[in-house]
Amino acid sequence: MIITVIAILIAVLIIIVVTNIGNNSSGNNKKPHTYEPWVIEAPEKRAGRRGEHIATEIIKGVLREGDYLFTNISVSYDGKRTELDNVVVNKYGVFIFEVKNYKGQLYGNEDDYNWGKYKDDGYGNTFVKEVKNPVKQVKRQIYILAKYLEGYNVWVEGYVILIRSNSPVQSTYILQSVEDIDRAIHTFKRNHLSRDTVESIKKMLV
């Protein structure tokens, strides 16, 4: 009798262990997504393109019904031309996302034309290089795109995504997480665009 009870208990324990292993190997116990800054590694020569691809995929991940994403488009106004990495259009407005994948420590102020980039080669040597200030860039892009779309009376907003989260400044133009992107493109501010207006703007950006 005792042997039978022990055998039953062992069988129950085996079932519990196997069930737990199965649950852990499935997707049921995955940690919920936390909105942390993104950091990637990429060869320096391809870092810019790689950063743009990463940012595009991140933006796609927060899109909802009625959101439209345009990538790598060119617009011009009064002889001024600009390249836009990512533009989202929806009922909340028009949003530009300028992407940078600068590797190294950045120094500068929000209104500087250029920032300093300090990079250590791992052998005790530090290299200094000037890079474009993306906040300055996105402000220019906002102006040109707003003028390009001025017939629709749209307030264009623009943001910067620094893939390596190494901004030297605190700025409302610089987004730090996926949650920031989601909030930026899904909050009513100065715009509340009709479906017809969204469709018309889409045609202007294709």
Side-chain angles (χ1 to χ4, degrees):
M1 183 68 177
I2 296 176
I3 295 175
T4 302
V5 172
I6 293 174
I8 292 173
L9 290 174
I10 292 173
V12 170
L13 289 173
I14 291 173
I15 292 172
I16 292 173
V17 170
V18 170
T19 301
N20 287 336
I21 291 174
N23 287 339
N24 289 335
S25 63
S26 69
N28 296 333
N29 288 335
K30 288 183 179 179
K31 292 182 180 179
H33 180 73
T34 54
Y35 297 108
E36 297 177 350
W38 38 80
V39 177
I40 67 166
E41 291 297 330
E44 194 72 16
K45 291 183 179 179
R46 300 195 303 271
R49 184 65 64 185
R50 173 66 172 157
E52 291 174 14
H53 175 73
I54 291 292
T56 298
E57 293 303 310
I58 290 170
I59 295 168
K60 286 180 179 179
V62 301
L63 295 181
R64 305 176 187 174
E65 184 178 357
D67 294 345
Y68 301 94
L69 174 62
F70 301 87
T71 61
N72 300 317
I73 62 175
S74 299
V75 295
S76 59
Y77 171 79
D78 194 27
K80 298 180 180 68
R81 186 178 185 85
T82 187
E83 304 287 331
L84 307 175
D85 294 335
N86 295 275
V87 178
V88 173
V89 180
N90 59 20
K91 65 182 180 180
Y92 301 96
V94 177
F95 308 91
I96 299 170
F97 295 94
E98 173 66 14
V99 182
K100 295 298 181 188
N101 190 18
Y102 293 143
K103 187 175 183 180
Q105 184 67 42
L106 301 176
Y107 294 91
N109 299 308
E110 182 170 319
D111 292 326
D112 292 343
Y113 282 97
N114 294 303
W115 285 347
K117 183 179 75 167
Y118 293 77
K119 182 181 175 184
D120 190 338
D121 66 357
Y123 297 97
N125 301 311
T126 301
F127 299 91
V128 182
K129 179 182 178 182
E130 281 196 340
V131 294
K132 293 180 179 179
N133 176 354
V135 177
K136 248 336 189 190
Q137 281 186 275
V138 82
K139 288 180 179 180
R140 179 177 181 272
Q141 292 171 350
I142 291 169
Y143 172 79
I144 294 175
L145 184 57
K147 287 296 185 180
Y148 180 73
L149 299 174
E150 64 181 348
Y152 300 100
N153 193 28
V154 175
W155 181 268
V156 177
E157 296 184 44
Y159 300 97
V160 174
I161 297 175
L162 287 166
I163 293 295
R164 298 178 188 274
S165 300
N166 53 352
S167 173
V169 299
Q170 293 290 326
S171 171
T172 55
Y173 288 95
I174 297 176
L175 303 184
Q176 300 290 345
S177 68
V178 180
E179 186 178 37
D180 286 347
I181 298 174
D182 192 8
R183 186 184 302 112
I185 65 176
H186 295 126
T187 302
F188 281 118
K189 297 173 186 174
R190 302 194 182 199
N191 291 310
H192 192 152
L193 305 183
S194 68
R195 183 178 299 179
D196 289 343
T197 300
V198 170
E199 291 297 322
S200 296
I201 292 173
K202 281 172 54 183
K203 293 177 182 177
M204 291 285 289
L205 298 178
V206 173

